[in-house]
Structure formats: C-alpha cells, structure tokens
Amino acid sequence: MSALERLGVLPSGTVTFLFTDVQGSTRLWAVDKDAMSASLLVHDAILRGAIEGSGGYVFTTAGDSFAAAFGRASDAVRAAIESQCALSDAVWPGPALKVRMGLHLGEAEERGGDYFGPVVNTAARVEAAGHGGQVLITEPVRIASGVTEVTDLGVRTLRDVAEPLRLFQLGADTFSPLRVVDPLMSNLPVRPTRLIGRENEVARVRGLLAVNRLVTITAVGGSGKTRLAIAVGEAELPHHRSGVWFVDLTSVTNGEEVPSAIANGLGLNLVAGDASTQILTFLADKNALLILDNCEHVIDGAAVFVEALLATNGASRVLATSRESFDLDGERTIVLGSLDTDGADSAGVRLFVDRATAVAPEFELTDTNSATISAICGRLDGMPLAIELAAARVTVMNPDELLAGLDDRFQLLSGGRRRSRQRTLEATLDWSYDLLDPGEQRVFRALGVFVDGFDLDAVAGVTGLDRHRVTGHIETLQAKSLVVRADRRKATRFRLLETVKAYAEDRLVDAGEAGIIRDRHSAHFHALAMAEGRKAWGSLDVGLRLRHDCSNITRAFEWAADNDRWITAGELLTGSQCTYHLDARMIELAPALARTSAHTPALDPDLHGCVTLQRWYLAIVLLDIPSALVQAHELTRSPLSDFRSTGWAVTAFMSAFVQPGTSDMFMTRAANEGVGPPSSGSDVRSLIPMVVHQTEAFNRGDFARAREISHDVARASRTSMMPESVEAEALAYVYLGEPENSLATVEQLGEFDLPFLDGTQVRALAHLTLGDTETATTFVRRFALRAATGVFPAESNDAMIVLATLAHHQHDDDTARRLLMSAGPGRLPASLGGAYHLAAQLGITQDYAADLATLYQPDSPHGGMGATRSLSALRAELARRGWD
C-alpha cells in the first residue's frame, strides 16, 4: 500500500495522469520469457519508486504498463523525467527496456482507488502515440507544470479522442513520427496562455465558417483577435482534411508581397511565374482553412488575393483578422467586443487573475481586492492586452496602486473627451512605458526594429549593450508582458505582440534613433551572414545559425539597398543563402537577388559572380530551367576565370542530370579555364565537378563510386549540398543492397531538421530492401502524401519513382512501368540513378531515357523537369490506392 493510500488522501478533482508502456514487450516475451521477467522486475522498481517518490499514486499495473495519478502536474513531469533517466542508466539482467510515457490532466472521478472519466482515456491515448524513451505531454500539462524544455509536436488527432490535442515532447531528442490517426496538417502557433472569456466568440466564428467562405474578425489592436483566430483554427482542424494554415502578415511591407507570405505559411515552394495563380492552383482541390492574421496594413493586397480565392468556388475557406473588413461580397464580419468586467466571475477579472498568478503565484483574488480588480479591468475597457499589461505589474504594485496609476494616466490623456478603445490601449502602453527605467525604455524602443522575433545576441547588436545586461532587460520586459518568449525548437527566441511592436517603432522614431538602430540591425545580420567570409555558395552553419531570421535578413537587405549600400546588400543575401534554403523560403530571394544583380557587375565583379551563381541555384530549386540556362550562360562570360569555370561546370551538371554521358564536353571547357585570381568561386569550384561525377556515376549504375563521391561531397564543405549528399549516400547504400548502412547514414539528417530531405524516401526504399513491406509502405505513403501537396515540386518525381519501386516489389510490373514513365528527373541525382536502375529491371531503359530528354527542354509542356505531369499522376495513383 502506498503512502497516499495509507493516509487516505488520493488525488482528486483536477488530476494529472501518467501512463507508461514498454515498447515491443510482446516480441520480447516471445524471445525469452525468463529474461524479460527479470528485466521487468527492474522496470517495475524504477517506475514505482519514481512515481511514489514524486507524490504519485499507482492505480493500475496491467502487464508491463503503469497508470498513476498526481495532484500536481509538476510532480508528474518530474516522475516521468526521473524514471526515464533511471531506465536509461539501469543495468538490465535481460533485454534493455524502452518505455513510452504520456501525461494529461483534467477533471476525473476517483472511486475505490480507481479513476474514471474521459481524461483517463485521453491520457492512455497520449501514451500510445509515442515511442520507447519518449515522454509526451498535452498543452494543459505543459502550462500547469511550467516545464520549458519541450519540443512542440503540433496539434494531433488521437484514436477515440473527440477533439485534437496539441502535444509536446519532453526534451529535444529525435523519435519516429507519432502514432496518431492521421497527422493533421497545420502550422498553428502555440498559444502561450489560455484563452479566457471568448468561448461564445469561438462558437460564433465557427458557425459563420460553416456556411461562409470568408469570415473577418475586426477590432482594434490588443483585443485578442489573433488568439481567438488560433483557437478557432484548433477547433476546426478535424473538419479540414487539407489542413489549417496560419499566415502572419505583420512583417509584410506591401500588398504585392502578400501572396509570397501566404505561400510561405502553406509551406508552398513557388516556382517561376505568378505567385497567386500557383497558390490558387494548389488550393483548388483542397478543403483547407487559411487564417490571414493582421491584414490591416496590407488590406488591399490581401483583398485581391482573397477575392480571387473566393472566385474559384472551391472548398477552402479564409478566416482573417484585421482592424477593418475587406468589404468583399460574401464576407461575414464579427466585431470583437470587450471582455465583461463586472464582478469577480467576469471574463476580465478571470483574465487578470490568470495572468497575475503567472508572474506572482502567491497572488489571490479575495473579497477585499475583487472590487478593485473589477474596477481596473473596467477602466481598461475590458481590452485583453491592456488587462495583461496591468496584471504583469502585481509584482511591484498592489491592486489599489494599480488603479491609482491608471486613473492618473487616463485623466492626463483624456482631456475630458470620451476615450476610444484604441486610446485606452495607447494610454496603457504609455503607462507601462513610463514605468520603465531609461535603460529599459531604450532597449524596448530598439526591439521595434525586428521582424518575426529576435534572440539575445541580436538585441545586443542593435543596442550596443553586452549580453549580460541585455538578458536582464529582456527578463524585465518579459515579466512586464511587453516581450513574449517564442522558442523555436532548440533556439531561444523572443518577440513583441503586433500592437506592442507598432508602439515600440513609434517610440523609436520619436526618440530620433530609428536610423542608427536600423544601421546596427543591418550591420548585425551582415556580420552573421559573413561570419565565414564571402562565399559563392552559402555556408550551412551560417544557415543553421540564422534559420529563424529570414524576415530580419530581408529587412536588413532592404535598408542597405534603399541606402545604396549594394556591397552590404549583396553579401547579406549570398552569405545567408542557406538560411532561406533550410526554411524552404527560396522564392523570397528571387526579387532581391535580381535587384542586386543590376548594381554589382561594375561595382564588384566577384560579388556579381556570387549573386549570379546563387540565382542559378535558385532557378534549379524552383525548377525554372530557362532562368537556370540564362544564369549559367552569364557565369561563362564572367571576367573572373573561377566563375567562368563554374559556369561550364553547372552547365555540365544540368546536362548530366537528364542526358547521361553528355557532360564531358562542358567539363572540358570548365577545366580549360584554368585557375585564375583567387575569388569567391573557389569554394564551390571543386564541389560542382564532384557533383557532376556523382550524377554520372548514379546514371550508369556505378553505385559504389556514387556512394564514395557522395560521402566526399558531404564532408568536403558544409553547404546546402551537404544534406543532399548525405541522402544521396544513404540511397547509394540501398542500391548496393546495404539497407542497414543506409538507415544508419540517414540518421545524420536529423541535425538539419529540414521540412524536406528528412530521410523518409530513404527509409521507404531501405525497408523494401529489407523485405519489411509493411513498414516500407508506411514511409512510402507518408512521402507520397507530402509530395502530392506540391509544396516541394520536384518531390513528385521522387515519389513516383518510390511508388514504382513499391509496385515492383509487389510483383506488379505493369503498374511500376506506368508510374516510372510518369516521373521526371528526380530531385536528387541519386533518385534519378535509382530510376535508371529500376528501368533496367523493368526493361524500359531506352524509353525512359528518351522521355527524360524531352522533359529537359525549356518549353516542355510538363513544367520544370516534368513536375506538372508527375504531380498529376501522383495524385491519381494516391486516389487509386485509397491514400488520398
């Protein structure tokens, strides 16, 4: 009997549940029953000791599973962490056991030492979604426990659980994909705090969306429009099989950029041509919900896109937030009003108390202070942001002092006139700003220069302060709700809410500091982009360092370009090229590179060569063959021999990719250029010829040589070629009949955390080679479904090759031939090499090679490298298999 049972005090009311299970236990019992029994004794002692040592109560032990209840979420999290550490360090008499764990909290009924209610079933389903060694927690547990070292796994649907849940993983280790019903597609941001007092509004917006394709939430800044939209998006996830996609337009500077921002939110990698047309084509056959947030400053540009979307008569819907409506036919508008502030149970008071206890856990709502808090919320017109800013002050002021301070501020600003709600927010921000000391004010103003967040080093760069002082200021501003922490996986990031950012920018201009701060902002990101010196091919390490700062780099570029600092502007782009590549935002580079290219030829021929080479690579990524040919030709005419040589080498690459054996002539031209003066071309001159030889080796089926070159390329230089070459090396192992080596190699891709090149394709083919068709089919389906979205155009070619390989393994060669003949050149030379290998097995080598040659033509009707044809064929095959 546990200590809690002896005391007769079991967790009740709101309970946190911890469920555990041993991974692969059925197989382990079958292999050696005695050894498994011995290991299970160690397992049971560790689990029970950690749970009861943390104040938990074990109410079920079914087989090798534990179910425990805790009165506090933090105790449950501690028990999970301690038990996983102990399991990892244990000396096992039999097989080493790996345990998956899941935590959830909610209201539960305790009867006779057992627990009942939906929360218990949900906790069990959370655990079942994970893998051995993994601890999954739900958002309520994360908030209640205060744990910060987590990885956001997104909103997921669990079997037999009615509503989707946002799941987090304790720690940052890499595991296989969650075992959920069907991963719901969404990029919804995490709500850092609970939504309070807007339940009716959520229901109302959802009701309008059920019968209207455009719903706009309007209100002044600080009313909670964004938080409401996210809550609606989470609730709507199960009803939109094509996903719920959040697009923050805050950083967009003009209406013409709206389509690119939407494409980025959708994860859509645009090719050359009109962006809106490509997005509308992508959404044409989908039932998606698109959330456009903060539209007011680009309302006309956003309206043009939305009107075009509505004209398609498709199933996709738009939920927008703005300070004004679009004024479009079919638009339904909901004006977001104030929170109720009358009484202790009002939404405004509940919001105040929730935010106050977050910064001061000892704060309580009492009979003595409830009327004052209600008066504070009323004085703030029930505006959520204003209430949160005031609540953050409870660490230094009691409610009476808060109310007095607000009264002074409003009496000063009102001038006897009736205040508008926007003036209320401005007054609250003025009040919060005036209470900062001069140093804090200076840092706060400077934060207005950033777009889409910042880290501590960036703040130090724009303020000129050391990191220690910056850390203290940011902690203070965060405690006062002026700064929000917005971690991105392994990176600690911060941001300003949209209204607070606008206020900070105004104060920066008023202080006469805007010019110098923007200079420092540009200089900071230029220094990071050039950390390894000028390079013609972006550094992977620089890209990883800056991967969350694409928007900041774009702003820094615009400032430099607008001030005719074209050397700085060009180096910003070329130095950070991998940043845009890693974040799948290469399309955003196109206009900036083109603008720079017009100024650099005479100004700096070396920089112009770097820009031209990157324009070529961008065209290749976007499958814009005509543009790639133009840029390659320009490189061959460079005044610098290194770049002329590189130009002929990239021409050889394009030739080798589709027409095997035709690259020798171009490689000879490259070699004949000789070695000219040292230039930035030197860091890629050796790599591109290696890639040409790698491609040719794959094409002719010399996979041992291809693997060797891929290995060398991956380790020759940390550029964007590195993850591509790691995957190519892993694929070569598959073709060599060494799937174990392939699976081991592909694990290296976890370092890069890319939305593509994540090893799914490799794992599918490796498991087919191993004869594990069931596991392979899971990976094939996952890869094909992602490719079918059109987000990464060339993946449709790869997916067709993988599907053809699956059909061949299933002894359906007729289907394999049909699928392979619908595939264009793969995204990787390795994919193409595998296609030639498969074509030989199917007896269609000549037909396949002849077809590829036609796809390479600039005027091919099938799009860049056959992507249009393969995407259509891929979607048809998914429908045939019932996978769509």
Side-chain angles (χ1 to χ4, degrees), residues 451-512:
V451 186
D452 197 25
F454 49 87
D455 58 26
L456 295 175
D457 289 333
V459 180
V462 302
T463 60
L465 301 175
D466 63 69
R467 202 174 189 277
H468 176 73
R469 291 178 66 189
V470 162
T471 301
H473 285 312
I474 294 299
E475 287 176 347
T476 299
L477 294 172
Q478 184 182 4
K480 295 173 181 176
S481 293
L482 292 169
V483 167
V484 178
R485 183 163 174 157
D487 288 356
R488 302 279 188 89
R489 292 189 180 267
K490 300 177 183 180
T492 301
R493 304 275 297 178
F494 302 89
R495 66 183 178 90
L496 301 181
L497 297 177
E498 176 255 342
T499 304
V500 177
K501 172 177 163 51
Y503 181 88
E505 286 184 289
D506 287 344
R507 300 290 76 76
L508 187 64
V509 172
D510 291 345

Side-chain angles (χ1 to χ4, degrees), residues 160-504:
D160 300 327
V161 177
E163 293 293 328
L165 297 171
R166 186 174 291 280
L167 298 181
F168 298 83
Q169 171 193 300
L170 293 184
D173 291 340
T174 301
F175 294 91
S176 297
L178 294 181
R179 302 188 299 177
V180 294
V181 176
D182 270 319
L184 292 168
M185 296 186 291
S186 169
N187 67 337
L188 286 171
V190 179
R191 286 185 287 154
T193 52
R194 292 189 300 141
L195 182 68
I196 295 176
R198 295 298 193 189
E199 295 81 6
N200 292 336
E201 286 84 353
V202 170
R204 184 180 171 195
V205 173
R206 293 188 67 192
L208 290 173
L209 280 171
V211 293
N212 300 278
R213 294 186 63 203
L214 171 60
V215 176
T216 305
I217 304 170
T218 64
V220 298
S223 299
K225 300 185 296 295
T226 299
R227 192 167 286 155
L228 173 62
I230 293 172
V232 171
E234 291 173 347
E236 284 292 307
L237 265 171
H239 307 288
H240 295 275
R241 57 181 299 200
S242 301
V244 176
W245 305 100
F246 183 86
V247 180
D248 184 2
L249 298 177
T250 304
S251 61
V252 176
T253 57
N254 64 71
E256 295 179 355
E257 298 175 1
V258 169
S260 293
I262 293 172
N264 184 54
L266 288 167
L268 185 60
N269 192 7
L270 300 177
V271 297
D274 181 67
S276 291
T277 300
Q278 294 177 64
I279 299 169
L280 295 177
T281 301
F282 170 70
L283 293 173
D285 59 348
K286 294 179 174 57
N287 175 23
L289 175 61
L290 190 62
I291 299 177
L292 303 182
D293 192 43
N294 296 314
C295 297
E296 54 275 348
H297 62 299
V298 287
I299 192 70
D300 292 336
V304 169
F305 174 83
V306 172
E307 188 171 29
L309 177 62
L310 297 181
T312 63
N313 294 319
S316 293
R317 284 164 160 70
V318 175
L319 173 61
T321 75
S322 178
R323 299 184 189 183
E324 59 178 303
S325 67
F326 290 113
D327 194 24
L328 295 175
D329 291 340
E331 179 182 20
R332 293 298 302 272
T333 301
I334 176 172
V335 180
L336 193 58
S338 303
L339 294 176
D340 174 31
T341 63
D342 187 14
D345 292 331
S346 67
V349 172
R350 286 189 285 119
L351 176 63
F352 183 98
V353 174
D354 182 82
R355 303 306 191 254
T357 54
V359 296
E362 71 283 358
F363 182 84
E364 291 183 311
L365 179 68
T366 66
D367 293 338
T368 303
N369 65 20
S370 63
T372 303
I373 294 172
S374 180
I376 291 170
C377 296
R379 202 77 175 91
L380 296 172
D381 289 341
M383 296 189 69
L385 179 56
I387 291 172
E388 292 183 12
L389 290 170
R393 285 289 174 179
V394 299
T395 56
V396 292
M397 293 182 181
N398 62 42
D400 290 330
E401 292 169 330
L402 283 172
L403 182 59
L406 289 174
D407 282 340
D408 290 343
R409 166 58 59 188
F410 287 134
Q411 288 171 9
L412 177 65
L413 293 181
S414 64
R417 296 173 297 175
R418 183 176 180 179
R419 302 185 312 277
S420 69
R421 296 185 70 237
Q422 187 61 56
R423 191 153 180 78
T424 296
L425 180 58
E426 182 182 357
T428 307
L429 287 167
D430 281 339
W431 175 70
S432 294
Y433 180 74
D434 289 344
L435 290 173
L436 300 174
D437 67 36
E440 292 164 351
Q441 289 181 343
R442 177 188 169 205
V443 171
F444 173 71
R445 292 193 300 267
L447 300 182
V449 76
F450 293 108
V451 186
D452 197 25
F454 49 87
D455 58 26
L456 295 175
D457 289 333
V459 180
V462 302
T463 60
L465 301 175
D466 63 69
R467 202 174 189 277
H468 176 73
R469 291 178 66 189
V470 162
T471 301
H473 285 312
I474 294 299
E475 287 176 347
T476 299
L477 294 172
Q478 184 182 4
K480 295 173 181 176
S481 293
L482 292 169
V483 167
V484 178
R485 183 163 174 157
D487 288 356
R488 302 279 188 89
R489 292 189 180 267
K490 300 177 183 180
T492 301
R493 304 275 297 178
F494 302 89
R495 66 183 178 90
L496 301 181
L497 297 177
E498 176 255 342
T499 304
V500 177
K501 172 177 163 51
Y503 181 88

Side-chain angles (χ1 to χ4, degrees), residues 603-809:
L603 191 65
D604 189 328
D606 180 76
L607 180 59
H608 183 69
C610 296
V611 170
T612 305
L613 181 58
Q614 294 203 9
R615 292 184 73 189
W616 171 82
Y617 182 64
L618 174 65
I620 289 295
V621 170
L622 300 181
L623 303 183
D624 183 0
I625 302 304
S627 294
L629 291 170
V630 169
Q631 302 307 322
H633 181 62
E634 182 167 347
L635 283 169
T636 63
R637 299 164 59 199
S638 171
L640 301 177
S641 61
D642 269 4
F643 282 113
R644 291 198 301 273
S645 175
T646 301
W648 290 114
V650 299
T651 303
F653 169 79
M654 290 187 288
S655 176
F657 208 77
V658 180
Q659 295 177 294
T662 62
S663 62
D664 290 349
M665 175 181 67
F666 300 115
M667 288 302 296
T668 300
R669 293 289 298 271
N672 288 342
E673 289 297 338
V675 179
S679 76
S680 300
S682 302
D683 64 334
V684 293
R685 185 178 180 188
S686 61
L687 285 180
I688 293 178
M690 290 171 70
V691 173
V692 173
H693 295 314
Q694 172 200 52
T695 304
E696 292 286 14
F698 273 117
N699 289 346
R700 65 176 179 265
D702 186 354
F703 299 125
R705 178 59 179 157
R707 189 213 64 77
E708 180 182 338
I709 298 174
S710 299
H711 179 87
D712 291 343
V713 172
R715 284 145 189 83
S717 179
R718 287 182 64 86
T719 69
S720 56
M721 290 181 184
M722 184 176 183
E724 293 180 356
S725 297
V726 169
E727 183 151 312
E729 181 182 359
L731 283 170
Y733 273 124
V734 172
Y735 306 144
L736 288 167
E738 302 177 35
E740 295 87 354
N741 286 334
S742 175
L743 292 172
T745 300
V746 84
E747 288 299 319
Q748 299 172 41
L749 293 173
E751 173 192 350
F752 312 119
D753 191 25
L754 298 176
F756 52 94
L757 289 174
D758 61 350
T760 304
Q761 175 186 6
V762 173
R763 292 182 175 95
L765 296 174
H767 283 287
L768 279 177
T769 305
L770 286 167
D772 185 356
T773 305
E774 182 178 356
T775 300
T777 302
T778 298
F779 284 112
V780 172
R781 181 175 185 268
R782 183 178 304 151
F783 184 62
L785 285 171
R786 185 177 75 196
T789 65
V791 169
F792 307 106
E795 275 196 339
S796 60
N797 292 322
D798 288 357
M800 293 300 289
I801 296 168
V802 172
L803 281 166
T805 306
L806 174 63
H808 178 58
H809 276 260

